[in-house]
Amino acid sequence: MSKSIVIVDDHVLFGQSLKGLVDSFDDYRVKAVYKNGKELQENLRKMDLRPDLILLDIRMPVMDGLQTMQWLKQEFPKQKAMALTMEDDEEILLKMLGLGCRGYLVKDIDPDKFKQALDSVVDTGYYVDKEVMKELERKERSKEQFSEREIEFLQYVCTEMTYKEIAAEMRLSPKTIDGYRESLFVKLDIKSRVGLAVYAIKNNFCTI
């Protein structure tokens, strides 16, 4: 049975092109294409079956990606959604992840990698570009491999707080926080804060 996708993007040409690409995959079909979050909001409730995944543009008029994720988190918390973006904006992506977004795709992604991303979110729950794929495919890690302070740091990584603000909240120096960050980068083979946030959310470290 085909997995259903809903596309939400205000660029009509891109949306239709993406629909054509998704429909070219044997195991996927596009259920609908909407121009903004408001159109999604008006139509999602009417669907007999919710889509397996919503591909959601971040920057849209009327109702943007952040507003749409806020609504989805409140009304359909189990609905899987993945962000579409032209820019690797860490602050916006962290906000999207905090609202339950399962990852993001840069719009110029290679078609083969795009298919891998769809499979990853539908099958394992998360996807954030190639550098996090290694982490998503490895076995679940136990909390025993981290120090108590590293676990506390991972809890804050999921928030919108800057590293300096996290240091103040943990009553540590920014240099010490940098040390925790670099240590976790090495342990998890991750190279960005967004990658750490995805790991923390996926493994239930985010309780703040």
Side-chain angles (χ1 to χ4, degrees):
M1 185 174 180
S2 295
K3 301 158 190 173
S4 60
I5 304 291
V6 165
I7 299 169
V8 186
D9 194 295
D10 64 311
H11 295 94
V12 177
L13 184 59
F14 176 80
Q16 290 301 320
S17 297
L18 191 59
K19 178 182 185 301
L21 177 60
V22 173
D23 285 341
S24 73
F25 302 141
D26 292 336
D27 46 350
Y28 287 93
R29 69 177 180 85
V30 173
K31 196 178 183 75
V33 180
Y34 302 120
K35 294 193 292 292
N36 54 63
K38 187 68 174 176
E39 288 191 3
L40 175 70
Q41 191 178 56
E42 292 170 350
N43 288 278
L44 191 59
R45 293 184 186 279
K46 301 175 185 178
M47 293 183 182
D48 294 331
L49 294 173
R50 307 281 181 253
D52 292 293
L53 177 63
I54 296 174
L55 297 177
L56 181 63
D57 191 12
I58 293 178
R59 303 187 185 280
M60 297 180 291
V62 185
M63 188 173 180
D64 64 20
L66 281 172
Q67 293 169 322
T68 305
M69 279 307 308
Q70 289 171 339
W71 176 74
L72 286 172
K73 183 177 182 179
Q74 180 178 348
E75 299 295 328
F76 301 99
K78 294 183 179 180
Q79 173 64 59
K80 292 180 179 179
M82 185 159 51
L84 295 170
T85 179
M86 289 295 293
E87 304 169 2
D88 193 351
D89 187 324
E90 184 178 88
E91 182 179 353
I92 295 296
L93 291 171
L94 285 171
K95 288 180 180 179
M96 292 288 286
L97 291 170
L99 291 169
C101 188
R102 300 306 184 97
Y104 76 94
L105 290 171
V106 178
K107 288 187 176 182
D108 62 356
I109 189 172
D110 177 84
D112 289 337
K113 292 181 180 178
F114 174 67
K115 174 64 161 56
Q116 291 172 12
L118 295 183
D119 292 340
S120 180
V121 173
V122 171
D123 297 337
T124 71
Y126 290 88
Y127 176 85
V128 179
D129 215 348
K130 61 182 180 181
E131 72 180 46
V132 187
M133 285 298 289
K134 294 178 183 178
E135 182 277 318
L136 293 177
E137 292 168 354
R138 68 177 72 235
K139 293 180 180 180
E140 296 292 317
R141 293 174 177 269
S142 74
K143 294 185 178 182
E144 295 177 359
Q145 73 175 26
F146 305 120
S147 70
E148 290 184 10
R149 281 304 219 178
E150 284 176 335
I151 292 173
E152 185 178 359
F153 173 69
L154 277 172
Q155 293 174 334
Y156 285 109
V157 162
C158 316
T159 71
E160 299 172 29
M161 296 171 67
T162 65
Y163 285 128
K164 186 176 180 180
E165 290 170 338
I166 293 174
E169 190 68 25
M170 292 178 66
R171 298 181 181 179
L172 297 170
S173 70
K175 186 175 181 179
T176 300
I177 290 298
D178 288 344
Y180 289 147
R181 179 192 63 206
E182 295 305 318
S183 173
L184 289 168
F185 279 171
V186 172
K187 286 182 178 181
L188 298 174
D189 193 17
I190 290 174
K191 300 175 183 177
S192 72
R193 177 169 175 174
V194 172
L196 284 180
V198 171
Y199 176 84
I201 292 169
K202 183 174 182 287
N203 291 281
N204 300 314
F205 285 99
C206 295
T207 58
I208 294 175

